[in-house]
Structures are given as C-alpha cells and as structure tokens.
Amino acid sequence: MYSMIETAKANYLNVFQYLYMVLLYLPDYKNGPEGIEQLHPWSEFIKEHCS
C-alpha cells in the first residue's frame, strides 16, 4: 500500500482519488488481466481522473 501511495505522489496524483479508482476498477479484472495497464499511475486514464 505504501508503494502505491508513493508512486501516486511521484506522478503528481491525488492519492485518495487514485486509491479510490484502483479499488473501484480492480474487481473488473479478477478473471483476466487484459487492460489492467489503465490502472497504472502513469496511464492517461488515471492522469485524467486523478490529477
């Protein structure tokens, strides 16, 4: 968890919004990892929603 928070900070994201987005969308990938890259803190999807 600490690693996720620090990586979000390093990418200039709102930490609480980033964790919310990850926890919101992560269950969608439980059956397959396709597309999980959109939850990385440097992805455009996350930057758009958490900056």
Side-chain angles (χ1 to χ4, degrees):
M1 193 59 112
Y2 181 75
S3 164
M4 290 176 66
I5 291 169
E6 290 303 315
T7 305
K9 286 181 185 178
N11 285 281
Y12 306 104
L13 301 175
N14 177 325
V15 174
F16 297 107
Q17 185 66 26
Y18 174 65
L19 293 175
Y20 173 78
M21 294 292 288
V22 169
L23 293 173
L24 180 67
Y25 285 101
L26 196 58
D28 294 342
Y29 301 107
K30 68 179 180 179
N31 295 323
E34 306 86 30
I36 201 164
E37 294 86 20
Q38 78 173 357
L39 298 179
H40 291 160
W42 49 84
S43 74
E44 291 303 317
F45 175 77
I46 290 296
K47 285 182 182 178
E48 180 181 320
H49 290 88
C50 301
S51 292

